[in-house]
Amino acid sequence: MKKEALLIIDMLNDFVLPGAPLEVPETRSIINTIQREIKAARAAGKPVIYICDNHDVDDKEFGKFGWPAHAVKGTKGADIVDALAPAPGDWIVPKSTYSGFYGTRLNDVLKKLGMDSLRLTGCVTHICIMFTASDAVLRDYAVTVVEDGVAGITKEDHDAAIRIMKSVMGVKVVQAGGDAEDRKAA
């Protein structure tokens, strides 16, 4: 029987709120789906883990990749959006680049919890979701991406990332609530 954790990636004010430095408007349309995913995970006793960009004010990523300053440590922009606020017992793992695994304690947390499977939600599909999925697969986690629970900057980039994760990485792609048999088995 698989032991699955729910990951909520970068659902932060600086990505979600209108006018934010790296606003991804589509993120607002996936909040309800992620809320349902969180509720289902908690009801099933599955860990809920927030993976959050958390940059130094002068982070080299900003210049290196051409991003505006965003999710700077200690700012409101680095906070998880209120609609998806963590509950006691949830985990928060800060990161400073695309993958939730690179230079973070995520793998240690997952091992401590005995997880072998991950269910990914959040943003951005073709960046942080895809790079986290790739690193998870390379570490032998079974990965599921909730397609209607992830948001891309453009539909084309979102669709390309979904296609690559599914066909190249072997990631299972589902619609929220559309995999009830899989949830019963978990």
Side-chain angles (χ1 to χ4, degrees), residues 98-141:
Y98 298 164
S99 172
F101 286 91
Y102 186 83
T104 74
R105 63 188 176 103
L106 178 59
N107 200 51
D108 293 337
V109 168
L110 295 169
K111 294 298 180 195
K112 177 181 180 175
L113 296 171
M115 298 295 109
D116 60 14
S117 304
L118 305 177
R119 189 172 180 93
L120 276 56
T121 63
C123 77
V124 171
T125 312
H126 67 286
I127 305 173
C128 297
I129 301 296
M130 189 168 77
F131 285 91
T132 300
S134 175
D135 278 355
V137 167
L138 294 175
R139 286 170 172 80
D140 293 324
Y141 291 98

Side-chain angles (χ1 to χ4, degrees), residues 34-57:
I34 296 173
Q35 287 172 328
R36 288 191 302 273
E37 289 287 322
I38 292 169
K39 183 177 179 182
R42 288 180 181 147
K46 295 179 182 181
V48 176
I49 303 172
Y50 293 81
I51 310 298
C52 303
D53 254 8
N54 198 264
H55 298 284
D56 290 330
V57 71

Side-chain angles (χ1 to χ4, degrees), residues 67-80:
W67 301 120
H70 63 280
V72 173
K73 293 175 187 175
T75 68
K76 183 79 174 149
D79 291 347
I80 297 162

Side-chain angles (χ1 to χ4, degrees), residues 1-6 37 41 44-47 110 113-120 140-146 170-174 179-186:
M1 189 153 84
K2 71 180 181 180
K3 293 202 50 150
E4 182 181 70
L6 175 66
E37 289 287 322
K46 295 179 182 181
L110 295 169
L113 296 171
M115 298 295 109
D116 60 14
S117 304
L118 305 177
R119 189 172 180 93
L120 276 56
D140 293 324
Y141 291 98
V143 177
T144 299
V145 170
V146 181
V171 167
K172 182 177 180 181
V173 177
V174 300
D179 60 336
E181 289 179 21
D182 182 55
R183 282 184 185 249
K184 287 179 189 172

